[in-house]
């Protein structure tokens, strides 16, 4: 009989859960897993052969083999399953045991679970984990929020397991209640924006610049060595160069142009609307996934409408390449700026008390939006912890100023040719609106007062005013 007690438990042994647990075991902790799917338990025992890791078939055995206070992570699909697993666990647990929800749960659900588990004397950590299957195995970025004493107890394990940047672990305690899942959600919102921006760069290079997939892949590789250096740039280069494994040609040309979504991008847009913090580049990325899903309708309309070309059909030479690179850099900054601004406002509004420098620091490695830019973002928040929007940082202002016209040129070319670049456009429009001392919203105030007596303010006198318009 095996009486060994294990340091860390995982419920949900899909590829993410399995990989995370193997990573825990790699780092010298005794790791235990369970899953309702027998094959997943078997897969863990096979992959973990010779390591201090074990898969068991029942939750009862699983709980009995964990050292106290038990540290149990759930990597199961977000939603009702999380509640079901928690309910199943509760009768087996003791006071002060720890449950870590490592899935992409909605922050409202996390708040509810956090409060509920407090009443059961169970410590809860709603924890964002980013980096996909590979990240889980080699070192993810981890965003735990909730019970602070639980963090103190799991800290040594999570710090060892997390990705490292210059020896610094990509994990930090995010804050109370649902803050960890909120921050992970905004991470994913930024992820949606960056992915769509790179996709638009591909489209412009292909349809305006007439470039082949290989040429675009090579450009992406080159850009990845410069200021655009990022995980998403790196994998986009890889994707552009991948041959089709079913027939001749490039795989990218055989992939259907419809992207699915699990909801975190949409939630980012929803909360941004609730808090009144605009993130139009993220909204546009969510909208583009929606538009992509109407494939037959798009095909029908593509026969109906033709856009007259102005200018040359294809633009050759390095000019376009340089402009697209600069436009991408410009819009990357704007996309991160929108996400960070949302976090800055949510920190106050939802009382998360977020450390934005710390968040930028743990996003530098392991996660999907890791990029060289994040070190610069970290520095900006380190220099000014009160910074709300990166557009107000001198260094970023300089970068935006020097790339704005390239972004406008790429937008002009794509609009002329009817190539949709909604994310790039929203980034540029957001920037131009934010840097405008005067916007035409005085007319909107006039309209509101005209039809609804909603009143308006004046520039030369304090107070609110109403006019009997047209009289
Ligand atoms: C990560 C990813 C991960 C997942 C996305 C996919 O950080 O590791 O963001 O959480 O792959 O949720 O999201 P969509 O299915 O909505 O694109």
């Amino acid at each position: 009989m095996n009486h060994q007690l294990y340091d860390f438990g995982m419920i949900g042994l899909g590829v993410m859960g399995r990989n995370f647990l193997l990573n825990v075991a790699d780092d010298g902790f005794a790791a235990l897993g369970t899953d309702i799917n027998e094959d997943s338990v078997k897969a863990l025992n096979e992959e973990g052969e010779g390591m201090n890791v074990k898969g068991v078939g029942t939750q009862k055995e699983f709980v009995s083999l964990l050292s106290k206070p038990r540290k149990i992570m759930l990597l199961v699909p977000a939603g009702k399953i999380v509640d079901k697993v928690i309910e199943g666990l509760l009768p087996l647990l003791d006071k002060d045991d720890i449950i870590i929800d490592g899935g992409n749960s909605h922050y409202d659900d996390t708040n509810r679970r956090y409060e509920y588990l407090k009443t059961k004397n169970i410590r809860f950590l709603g924890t964002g984990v980013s980096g996909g299957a590979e990240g889980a195995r080699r070192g993810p970025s981890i965003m735990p929020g909730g019970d602070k004493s639980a963090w103190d107890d799991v800290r040594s394990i999570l710090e060892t397991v997390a990705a490292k940047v210059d020896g610094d672990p990509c994990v930090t305690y995010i804050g109370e209640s649902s803050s960890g899942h909120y921050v992970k959600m905004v991470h994913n919102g930024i992820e949606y924006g960056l992915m769509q921006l790179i996709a638009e760069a591909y489209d412009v290079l292909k349809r305006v610049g007439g470039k082949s997939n290989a040429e675009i892949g090579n450009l992406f590789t080159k850009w990845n060595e410069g200021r655009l250096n990022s995980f998403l740039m790196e994998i986009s280069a890889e994707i552009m160069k991948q041959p089709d494994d079913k027939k001749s040609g490039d795989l990218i040309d055989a992939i259907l142009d419809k992207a699915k979504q699990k909801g975190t991008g949409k939630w980012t847009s929803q909360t941004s609307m609730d808090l009144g913090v605009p993130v139009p580049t993220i909204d546009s990325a969510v909208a583009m996934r929606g538009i992509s899903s109407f494939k037959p309708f798009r095909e029908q309309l593509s026969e109906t409408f033709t856009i007259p070309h102005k200018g040359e059909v294809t633009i050759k030479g390095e000019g376009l390449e340089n402009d697209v690179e600069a436009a991408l850099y410009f819009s990357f900054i704007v996309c991160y700026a929108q996400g960070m601004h949302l976090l800055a406002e949510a920190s106050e509004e939802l009382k998360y008390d977020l450390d934005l420098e710390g968040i930028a620091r743990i996003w530098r490695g392991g996660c999907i939006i890791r990029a060289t830019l994040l070190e610069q973002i970290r520095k900006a928040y380190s220099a000014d912890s009160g910074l709300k929007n990166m557009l107000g940082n001198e260094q970023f202002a300089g970068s935006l100023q020097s790339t704005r016209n390239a972004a406008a040129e790429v937008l002009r070319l794509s609009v002329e040719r009817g190539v949709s670049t909604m994310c790039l456009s929203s980034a540029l429009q957001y920037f131009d609106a934010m840097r405008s001392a005067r916007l035409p919203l005085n007319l909107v105030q006039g309209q509101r007062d005209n039809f609804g007596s909603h009143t308006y303010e004046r520039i030369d006198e304090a107070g609110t005013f109403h006019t009997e318009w047209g009289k």
Side-chain angles (χ1 to χ4, degrees), residues 105 107 178-187 268 271-272 275 342-343 346-347 350 352 354:
S105 291
Y107 61 97
S178 57
S179 56
H181 275 145
Y182 194 93
V183 167
K184 174 59 172 36
M185 171 194 70
V186 175
H187 164 285
T268 308
T271 175
S272 84
L275 299 186
L342 177 57
L343 287 181
S347 178
L350 306 177
Y352 286 148
L354 300 175

Side-chain angles (χ1 to χ4, degrees), residues 169-232:
C170 294
V171 58
T172 190
Y173 176 67
I174 300 290
E176 281 291 313
S177 62
S178 57
S179 56
H181 275 145
Y182 194 93
V183 167
K184 174 59 172 36
M185 171 194 70
V186 175
H187 164 285
N188 281 25
I190 298 171
E191 170 187 302
Y192 272 53
L194 302 179
M195 289 166 77
Q196 178 64 26
L197 286 165
I198 299 173
E200 290 174 5
Y202 147 63
D203 214 18
V204 170
L205 290 168
K206 186 184 170 89
R207 293 166 66 196
V208 179
K211 297 208 177 302
S212 69
N213 297 327
E215 284 170 326
I216 297 169
N218 289 335
L219 266 182
F220 283 1
T221 300
K222 189 171 110 190
W223 294 352
N224 191 42
E225 284 155 14
R227 58 187 174 176
L228 288 172
N229 176 259
S230 55
F231 172 71
L232 286 169

Side-chain angles (χ1 to χ4, degrees), residues 10-321:
M10 175 71 71
I11 298 183
L13 298 177
V15 64
M16 281 287 291
R18 230 159 52 224
N19 279 358
F20 195 98
L21 210 52
L22 291 169
N23 184 354
V24 170
D26 268 348
D27 287 321
F29 297 100
L32 185 73
T34 189
D35 196 296
I36 44 169
N37 182 333
E38 276 174 34
D39 289 342
S40 302
V41 176
K42 208 168 133 217
L44 176 70
N45 283 325
E46 278 167 13
E47 286 172 41
E49 180 88 54
M51 299 167 72
N52 200 355
V53 63
K54 179 184 162 88
V56 294
T58 68
Q59 277 198 10
K60 206 165 168 205
E61 186 184 3
F62 170 78
V63 170
S64 73
L65 287 176
L66 289 169
S67 61
K68 293 183 192 175
R70 300 181 181 90
K71 301 163 191 71
I72 301 173
M73 183 179 253
L74 318 184
L75 270 173
V76 298
K80 288 201 168 63
I81 298 182
V82 177
D83 293 310
K84 214 174 143 199
V85 173
I86 290 175
E87 281 308 320
L89 269 178
L90 278 179
L92 305 172
L93 298 184
D94 291 306
K95 182 171 179 299
D96 288 338
D97 282 348
I98 299 166
I99 297 180
I100 307 164
D101 173 14
N104 278 328
S105 291
H106 192 283
Y107 61 97
D108 282 341
D109 286 335
T110 300
N111 277 331
R112 175 175 54 76
R113 289 170 189 142
Y114 177 65
E115 294 302 331
Y116 171 66
L117 287 171
K118 251 198 236 173
T119 68
K120 304 277 175 195
N121 292 316
I122 298 298
R123 297 179 289 164
F124 187 59
L125 285 171
T127 300
V129 179
S130 178
E134 187 61 22
R137 184 71 187 88
R138 305 276 158 227
S141 175
I142 310 175
M143 295 149 249
D147 191 298
K148 177 70 167 51
S149 73
W151 158 250
D152 294 334
D153 284 355
V154 295
R155 180 176 181 162
S156 60
I157 300 179
L158 296 187
E159 283 188 344
T160 320
V161 163
K164 309 283 179 307
V165 173
D166 302 330
D168 198 8
C170 294
V171 58
T172 190
Y173 176 67
I174 300 290
E176 281 291 313
S177 62
S178 57
S179 56
H181 275 145
Y182 194 93
V183 167
K184 174 59 172 36
M185 171 194 70
V186 175
H187 164 285
N188 281 25
I190 298 171
E191 170 187 302
Y192 272 53
L194 302 179
M195 289 166 77
Q196 178 64 26
L197 286 165
I198 299 173
E200 290 174 5
Y202 147 63
D203 214 18
V204 170
L205 290 168
K206 186 184 170 89
R207 293 166 66 196
V208 179
K211 297 208 177 302
S212 69
N213 297 327
E215 284 170 326
I216 297 169
N218 289 335
L219 266 182
F220 283 1
T221 300
K222 189 171 110 190
W223 294 352
N224 191 42
E225 284 155 14
R227 58 187 174 176
L228 288 172
N229 176 259
S230 55
F231 172 71
L232 286 169
M233 208 67 240
E234 180 191 326
I235 62 160
S236 301
E238 191 175 282
I239 294 164
M240 293 308 300
K241 295 175 195 170
Q242 184 81 27
D244 193 345
D245 48 358
K246 293 203 182 296
K247 57 177 176 55
S248 68
D250 300 325
L251 183 55
I252 186 76
D253 293 330
I255 299 179
L256 187 65
D257 55 337
K258 265 169 80 169
K260 294 188 178 151
Q261 50 183 324
K262 291 211 267 315
T264 43
K266 179 186 78 180
W267 300 341
T268 308
S269 288
Q270 286 172 330
T271 175
S272 84
M273 296 280 174
D274 289 341
L275 299 186
V277 187
V279 293
T281 305
I282 296 170
D283 302 339
S284 300
V286 176
M288 283 309 297
R289 294 217 189 170
I291 291 173
S292 82
S293 72
F294 294 95
K295 174 82 170 169
F297 187 51
R298 289 192 284 117
E299 280 172 335
Q300 179 199 325
L301 293 187
S302 75
E303 303 288 323
T304 314
F305 297 105
T306 51
I307 305 291
H309 267 203
K310 287 210 188 104
E312 300 157 50
V313 175
T314 49
I315 305 220
K316 295 283 175 201
E318 283 192 359
L320 179 72
E321 291 171 20

